[in-house]
Amino acid sequence: MLEEIRRSLLGEARLSPKLLSDLAGLENYVAESYDSRSFIELLQNADDAGSSNFLVKRFQQYLIIANNGHVFSKSDLEAICRSAASTKQRGNSIGYRGIGFKSVVGLAQEVHIISGKLEATFSKKLTLNDIPQADKVPLLRIPHPIDPAIRSETLEEIERLMLQDYSTFFIFNGLAAESIDHEFISFDQSSLLFLKNIGKVTLEGRRTDEFKISRDAWDDIFLLSTLSSSSSLSNWIVATENCVSVAFYQDPQTEKIEVLSESDATVHAFLPTHEATGLGIKVNGDISTDPSRTRVVFDQRTTDGIAYIAKLVSRIINYIMHDAPLPDSKGMLAALLPLDDPRLHKLQRKSFKSEFISAIQAECEKFIPGFSLRPSWLNPNDFQKISEKSAIIAAPKIISDVDGAANFMRYLGAKEAGLKDLSNSLQNTEITINGCSEIVAELIRLCDTKQIYPVSIDTRWPIFIANGANISIDHAKLNGLMIDADFVDLVGERSTGVGGLTRLIKSVAGNETALRILPTTPASNTRPEQIEKSGILQSIAAFPSVNGKKSNTLNLKKWRGAEEQLRNIFEAEGWTAIDVSRQNIGYDIECENIEGKKLFIEVKLIETPTQPFIMTSNEEAVARQKGDSYLIAIVKQSGDSIEVSFIPNPTKNLELIRQCRQWVWECSNYPYNPEIYCLQ
């Protein structure tokens, strides 16, 4: 094998020594382009050879790089000697140009290969001896018989590695120490992420580092991959289809997907480039790159690769929109949102991210327009209930839960549901007080702006509140009911004042009906007499615990927020407590004991016991709806303790004064009889 290829290449070189000199210049250019990526290039070659283990080791004055893949064939040796002569098929393997191995030129003066029956040396000095008429020669062109001295000095180490099942060895001598040190330091373990076969990489330089990757199938598309080393651990959820992949970073502790920064969310052409994906994920595909393998080149291959990756991303988005089971739907959706405004891409130079997001839009336009987004004027829970009984296909609640998701869905073609889309199901849906006020306020807006006519409003819709229950205009008129004054105020806050509701009912049902079902005066701001300070905690039975006794094991840290402190206090009292403060549902903590009793806690942080606190209209409405199960927790934190005063049913037990800031409810007169908890 060696002698046949050597004889052929020597004959060509002697006939054209000038061409040999030109190849030396090309080789140097390639080596410079691959700066700090030689280890990675040899890693990809090892993966293409079916290797599971890859080793880089300093041994005496040598550098040994070994793998346990297929041994060299004649065509493999010829591919190293001849630039762009690789027999690898693009898409079936990582390397395909046949020039990646040239990257090692910057590492050493000589390269020796031992693989199966092949033993060869590449040396400029030996090549110049054979072709003295050449001005300069490339390192990797003419193979020579291996230097016996090199063979002898490394024999014992090579045989030891063979016992560990390594089969192919690259031995470098005349080392460029600075370049090799930089290779060790800059090795990117994410290079393993999209490889097919490599499971372990060992780097033995000034210190030993071992990188491992495990791959466990979650279903026919998703793999759960774990990258680990002595100093780090990272989890990745990798989806693969049609030879392309997308990778989501998963926090190893919380098992929640997190959005990658733009610098980490890179394009991989099997190995990492410097191109950003534009989303909070890594992607991998058959993407053309420049010789350095760090920048994307836009040709038909890249266009096709982007299209395949976009198709995979759109499939995942489709799964999310249909509530299909996924490792972490919410985290995935957040990671699939553009990291900047995609509308600005048309004003910027062509890039991978601009082409990628454009391709995602083209794919998603095939199904996203079939979904209706929650209108901004209606809360998520009522929207879900109403849409389930309507003719529309509602975007799932997760779209409302993830910041920016609704805007991206609009960019992809989704439309916001209108009142007309939801109206057919209003009559047979149990809507909350909050939702009723939002719908009525929207009707007022639409009528006032002439977007609908009063005759289109069905008087059978149970979207008004009387005696705390849902009623329609027809029901109120038939049974002599009057709309609750508090509900009138709530609608007024969300629209143009109480006059808007009066105008609406008059235009829909006439003046006489409006006079009969609307209260003659606005809701009073007065509240029942102030409750006794000493009775607050007793009224909620001091939170009975599982064993009928309070736990003394509290884990209260000074640096935590008030909501988390309260959650820990309730859990210590034997309750299940969930922090829902970010969901904007009118309270911060939802609690339940083993008997099924539920409490809904809104936390108010104060600095002094006389400091007023405010309730938003949403909180006040939910408090009225929940009654005695709704508590205000007044929290005061000092240096070493936390004081908590609980007030049940605040709309009944407190004097709430409506302030015209943004229609919030303020309280400055409340009982303060706290329990004190020590902070650690």
Side-chain angles (χ1 to χ4, degrees):
M1 178 200 315
L2 171 64
E3 191 54 39
E4 181 182 348
I5 293 174
R6 170 180 162 77
R7 188 167 50 250
S8 173
L9 291 170
L10 276 173
E12 294 174 8
R14 286 167 178 156
L15 289 174
S16 183
K18 185 170 178 54
L19 177 60
L20 193 65
S21 298
D22 291 342
L23 289 175
L26 175 62
E27 183 181 72
N28 288 332
Y29 168 72
V30 171
E32 290 171 3
S33 298
Y34 279 79
D35 181 45
S36 302
R37 294 170 64 85
S38 299
F39 287 2
I40 292 177
E41 286 299 323
L42 292 171
L43 173 65
Q44 76 149 55
N45 288 343
D47 192 73
D48 284 340
S51 304
S52 59
N53 291 343
F54 180 79
L55 169 71
V56 181
K57 180 176 183 177
R58 279 185 175 275
F59 173 71
Q60 298 177 7
Q61 74 268 32
Y62 302 105
L63 180 75
I64 297 176
I65 298 181
N67 68 69
N68 63 344
H70 308 309
V71 297
F72 263 63
S73 65
K74 177 183 176 182
S75 60
D76 292 330
L77 177 60
E78 194 163 21
I80 285 178
C81 298
R82 295 184 182 277
S83 297
S86 174
T87 58
K88 300 176 184 177
Q89 295 298 309
R90 184 169 183 173
N92 295 326
S93 59
I94 300 173
Y96 60 90
R97 294 188 181 91
I99 61 174
F101 191 72
K102 303 294 187 291
S103 65
V104 304
V105 168
L107 297 183
Q109 295 177 3
E110 290 185 347
V111 181
H112 314 276
I113 300 175
I114 297 175
S115 181
K117 296 181 179 180
L118 173 66
E119 295 186 359
T121 289
F122 290 95
S123 165
K124 289 184 180 182
K125 180 180 178 180
L126 294 176
T127 300
L128 277 172
N129 289 339
D130 287 334
I131 317 291
Q133 61 269 45
D135 294 331
K136 54 184 179 179
V137 296
L139 175 63
L140 301 174
R141 181 65 176 184
I142 310 295
H144 306 277
I146 196 166
D147 186 335
I150 301 293
R151 185 73 172 82
S152 174
E153 290 176 8
T154 60
L155 177 62
E156 184 177 345
E157 180 64 18
I158 296 299
E159 289 180 341
R160 190 182 71 80
L161 292 175
M162 284 181 174
L163 293 176
Q164 299 176 32
D165 291 329
Y166 288 101
S167 54
T168 294
F169 307 89
F170 301 92
I171 305 167
F172 300 83
N173 70 316
L175 303 179
E178 185 176 340
S179 296
I180 289 173
D181 286 344
H182 198 255
E183 289 276 350
F184 274 107
I185 293 169
S186 61
F187 181 80
D188 182 356
Q189 67 174 328
S190 73
S191 304
L192 281 67
L193 195 55
F194 298 111
L195 298 180
K196 298 177 181 178
N197 302 301
I198 295 289
K200 183 174 76 171
V201 172
T202 305
L203 304 182
E204 296 185 22
R206 299 185 186 278
R207 69 172 192 269
T208 298
D209 289 314
E210 189 172 87
F211 305 93
K212 293 182 179 179
I213 183 168
S214 62
R215 305 174 180 93
D216 298 312
W218 192 76
D219 64 8
D220 59 337
I221 290 182
F222 290 100
L223 282 176
L224 304 182
S225 298
T226 299
L227 281 171
S228 61
S229 69
S230 58
S231 59
S232 67
L233 177 71
S234 61
N235 288 351
W236 298 84
I237 298 174
V238 182
T240 301
E241 187 177 58
N242 293 326
C243 297
V244 299
S245 303
V246 299
F248 300 85
Y249 173 74
Q250 182 191 57
D251 186 284
Q253 263 124 30
T254 65
E255 296 188 351
K256 297 295 184 184
I257 290 173
E258 295 186 359
V259 179
L260 294 177
S261 65
E262 185 164 9
S263 60
D264 291 327
T266 51
V267 178
H268 286 229
F270 293 99
L271 298 174
T273 72
H274 295 164
E275 294 281 350
T277 65
L279 311 180
I281 58 173
K282 291 180 179 290
V283 305
N284 176 66
D286 188 6
I287 305 296
S288 294
T289 60
D290 64 3
S292 72
R293 300 287 292 274
T294 62
R295 295 294 176 190
V296 168
V297 172
F298 291 97
D299 59 10
Q300 191 57 49
R301 286 278 189 176
T302 296
T303 299
D304 293 342
I306 289 174
Y308 281 123
I309 301 171
K311 192 183 293 288
L312 177 56
V313 168
S314 71
R315 181 170 179 178
I316 296 171
I317 292 174
N318 204 352
Y319 284 162
I320 294 170
M321 296 300 284
H322 284 95
D323 280 330
L326 292 171
D328 176 11
S329 297
K330 188 173 181 179
M332 280 189 174
L333 179 58
L336 291 174
L337 301 182
L339 297 177
D340 57 11
D341 191 339
R343 295 172 297 180
L344 300 178
H345 291 170
K346 294 180 181 179
L347 306 176
Q348 301 168 351
R349 68 176 181 84
K350 184 177 182 179
S351 64
F352 182 92
K353 68 179 181 180
S354 66
E355 299 302 297
F356 184 37
I357 293 176
S358 179
I360 291 171
Q361 183 183 35
E363 286 294 329
C364 288
E365 281 179 347
K366 299 173 183 177
F367 63 89
I368 286 292
F371 289 91
S372 295
L373 297 173
R374 176 181 67 87
S376 57
W377 48 265
L378 184 59
N379 69 82
N381 292 332
D382 281 311
F383 173 64
Q384 288 300 122
K385 288 192 291 185
I386 296 169
S387 60
E388 284 172 3
K389 298 181 180 180
S390 71
I392 68 170
I393 301 175
K397 188 175 179 294
I398 191 174
I399 301 300
S400 298
D401 294 339
V402 176
D403 289 342
N407 286 336
F408 188 45
M409 292 305 120
R410 290 187 185 93
Y411 176 78
L412 297 178
K415 303 297 182 185
E416 188 175 285
L419 190 58
K420 183 178 180 181
D421 300 313
L422 304 173
S423 59
N424 289 337
S425 56
L426 292 180
Q427 193 168 335
N428 57 358
T429 305
E430 186 177 342
I431 307 167
T432 66
I433 295 174
N434 199 30
C436 287
S437 67
E438 291 168 340
I439 293 169
V440 173
E442 176 66 4
L443 286 172
I444 293 170
R445 185 188 71 82
L446 294 173
C447 284
D448 286 350
T449 55
K450 308 299 183 189
Q451 295 184 57
I452 64 171
Y453 294 101
V455 293
S456 64
I457 298 174
D458 194 332
T459 55
R460 296 172 299 172
W461 290 342
I463 55 175
F464 301 90
I465 304 298
N467 298 326
N470 294 48
I471 63 163
S472 66
I473 292 176
D474 286 352
H475 185 73
K477 185 167 66 172
L478 181 64
N479 294 278
L481 298 174
M482 184 173 289
I483 296 173
D484 289 350
D486 283 344
F487 181 75
V488 173
D489 281 348
L490 194 57
V491 172
E493 292 168 16
R494 288 190 160 93
S495 58
T496 54
V498 295
L501 181 58
T502 303
R503 289 195 306 274
L504 178 72
I505 294 180
K506 283 182 177 180
S507 63
V508 172
N511 290 345
E512 183 180 348
T513 300
L515 290 172
R516 289 171 55 189
I517 70 173
L518 283 170
T520 55
T521 58
S524 172
N525 288 324
T526 60
R527 289 287 182 259
E529 184 176 352
Q530 194 72 22
I531 56 176
E532 293 294 328
K533 294 183 180 180
S534 60
I536 297 299
L537 291 175
Q538 289 84 344
S539 69
I540 54 175
F543 314 113
S545 69
V546 176
N547 300 315
K549 296 180 180 179
K550 293 184 180 180
S551 167
N552 293 320
T553 305
L554 283 175
N555 184 22
L556 303 181
K557 304 291 185 183
K558 294 181 181 180
W559 52 265
R560 287 177 175 159
E563 290 85 1
E564 190 170 8
Q565 304 282 34
L566 261 292
R567 181 176 62 79
N568 285 327
I569 289 172
F570 273 85
E571 287 178 346
E573 299 287 354
W575 293 69
T576 298
I578 303 172
D579 184 350
V580 295
S581 56
R582 295 186 179 182
Q583 298 182 25
N584 193 29
I585 54 178
Y587 50 89
D588 296 318
I589 302 173
E590 188 171 312
C591 305
E592 184 174 359
N593 66 8
I594 58 172
E595 299 169 355
K597 180 180 179 180
K598 288 188 176 182
L599 293 176
F600 306 90
I601 316 297
E602 173 61 26
V603 179
K604 300 298 180 185
L605 188 64
I606 61 170
E607 294 180 0
T608 64
T610 59
Q611 177 185 335
F613 67 84
I614 63 172
M615 293 182 71
T616 65
S617 293
N618 186 34
E619 291 165 0
E620 195 269 348
V622 174
R624 276 192 282 107
Q625 186 181 23
K626 301 294 185 184
D628 289 336
S629 62
Y630 190 102
L631 288 84
I632 292 286
I634 308 294
V635 179
K636 178 177 177 291
Q637 296 194 67
S638 59
D640 298 314
S641 65
I642 178 172
E643 300 177 3
V644 185
S645 182
F646 294 100
I647 304 173
N649 203 345
T651 58
K652 175 183 177 183
N653 293 321
L654 295 178
E655 181 181 6
L656 299 171
I657 301 172
R658 190 168 64 179
Q659 299 286 339
C660 188
R661 298 175 184 171
Q662 197 178 11
W663 286 132
V664 297
W665 298 87
E666 181 177 284
C667 182
S668 58
N669 185 15
Y670 50 88
Y672 189 71
N673 184 21
E675 291 193 357
I676 300 175
Y677 301 86
C678 292
L679 297 174
Q680 300 175 18

